[in-house]
């Protein structure tokens, strides 16, 4: 009775290859690549653990004509145990040139969330207990914003995808599941080691009330503008192997594998993440070589 147990849970969908999936965490990224960019990702987390997260996402973003305005739309399906959440977001960005090389983008995000809870998967002791009720497509809106400072080789971003702390499930006015505000910071830079090899270290951090600070560091090598190989470390959580291949000018595919470094590794065989990015370049002179971000 006098024992206190503290536990931390994952809330927003987690991505190892966030550097290719920036639109989902920072609305200011919309249109920054100067092309119509379509991105699809599937993540299976903690394989072998019952009820582990499974995430699918599909997004599109593009600049509007040749203006400074970017537009994006994204869809995320996130399943964890008895719950399933679907989020549809629209992103709008505006970019200003701060110099001949650097740009600063401002973004806003509007999101519609649909939350589902299948109580039968919780195996309640008393079936039909009125305190346990299924939730079907419970709707909650949200808004977010972001800043993205970038060039063709450097980026720094700060964002809050959701400002509203929605209560998805209540019992006697006590929030059982509450959407917390997540603060994201990203940064990276590309170094030209020689004519055929580029190296990009990057940083990703997430701060959420009630959870420890999450910090991801990664390093990727781009070889002959075709192959990407790298590794990542999630502080006190996991190590990752990253691979990518530029199939042709407009199509890039990638794979990531996470291996847990906590005691959770005894109960799963790791996490897998695969993605495809397809792009249509309106002006081939805008991007002269494949980018890491």
């Amino acid at each position: 009775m006098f024992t206190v147990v503290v536990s931390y849970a994952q809330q927003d969908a987690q991505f190892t290859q966030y550097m290719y999936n920036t639109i989902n965490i920072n609305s200011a990224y919309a249109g920054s690549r100067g092309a119509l960019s379509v991105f699809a990702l599937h993540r299976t987390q903690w394989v072998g653990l019952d009820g582990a997260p499974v995430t699918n996402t599909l997004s599109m973003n593009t600049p509007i004509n040749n203006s400074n305005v970017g537009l994006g739309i994204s869809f995320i399906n996130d399943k964890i145990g008895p719950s399933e959440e679907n989020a549809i977001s629209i992103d709008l960005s505006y970019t200003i040139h701060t110099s001949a090389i650097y740009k600063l983008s401002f973004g806003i995000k509007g999101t519609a969330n649909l939350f589902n809870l299948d109580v039968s998967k919780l195996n309640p002791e008393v079936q039909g207990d009125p305190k346990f009720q299924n939730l079907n497509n419970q709707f909650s809106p949200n808004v977010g914003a972001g800043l993205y400072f970038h060039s063709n080789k450097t980026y720094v971003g700060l964002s809050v995808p959701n400002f509203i702390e929605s209560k998805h499930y209540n019992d006697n006015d006590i929030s059982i599941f509450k959407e917390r505000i997540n603060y994201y910071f990203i940064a990276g830079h590309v170094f030209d080691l020689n004519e055929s090899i580029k190296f990009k270290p990057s940083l990703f951090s997430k701060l959420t009330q009630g959870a420890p600070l999450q910090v991801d560091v990664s390093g990727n090598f781009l070889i002959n503008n075709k192959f990407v190989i790298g590794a990542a470390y999630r502080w006190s959580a996991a190590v990752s192997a990253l691979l990518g291949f530029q199939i042709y000018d407009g199509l890039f595919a990638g794979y990531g594998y996470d291996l847990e470094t906590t005691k959770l590794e005894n109960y799963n065989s790791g996490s897998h993440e695969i993605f495809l990015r397809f792009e249509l370049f309106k002006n081939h002179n805008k991007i002269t070589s494949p980018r890491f971000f």
Side-chain angles (χ1 to χ4, degrees), residues 63-161:
I64 302 300
N65 296 324
N66 292 318
S67 69
N68 294 327
V69 178
L71 178 66
I73 184 170
S74 59
F75 170 76
I76 298 178
N77 171 262
D78 195 29
K79 299 178 181 178
I80 303 178
S83 67
E84 179 179 1
E85 187 170 6
N86 294 294
I88 302 174
S89 301
I90 296 178
D91 302 282
L92 187 66
S93 71
Y94 185 80
T95 300
I96 59 174
H97 293 260
T98 59
S99 70
I101 299 175
Y102 291 98
K103 301 175 183 178
L104 178 61
S105 300
F106 305 86
I108 55 174
K109 178 187 292 285
T111 302
N113 289 288
L114 297 174
F115 180 76
N116 294 276
L117 178 66
D118 185 355
V119 173
S120 65
K121 294 182 179 180
L122 294 174
N123 297 319
E125 183 176 347
V126 179
Q127 295 292 332
D129 189 329
K131 288 187 177 181
F132 294 90
Q133 300 177 17
N134 286 338
L135 296 178
N136 296 309
N137 291 324
Q138 181 182 5
F139 172 76
S140 61
N142 222 310
V143 293
L147 295 173
Y148 188 62
F149 183 68
H150 60 102
S151 67
N152 281 339
K153 290 189 174 183
T154 304
Y155 68 89
V156 178
L158 182 65
S159 61
V160 178

Side-chain angles (χ1 to χ4, degrees), residues 258-272:
D258 296 354
L259 180 65
E260 289 293 314
T261 58
T262 67
K263 292 182 180 180
L264 193 60
E265 68 176 331
N266 298 322
Y267 306 96
N268 73 92
S269 58
S271 305
H272 301 272

Side-chain angles (χ1 to χ4, degrees), residues 9 58 60 85 87 112 123 138 140 144 146 157 162 173 176 191 193 202 220 228 241 249 252 284 292:
L58 177 66
M60 181 277 293
E85 187 170 6
N123 297 319
Q138 181 182 5
S140 61
N162 298 311
D173 295 326
I176 305 299
F191 296 92
L193 301 184
S202 63
N220 283 282
V228 175
D249 284 349
F252 183 73
H284 290 272
F292 284 98

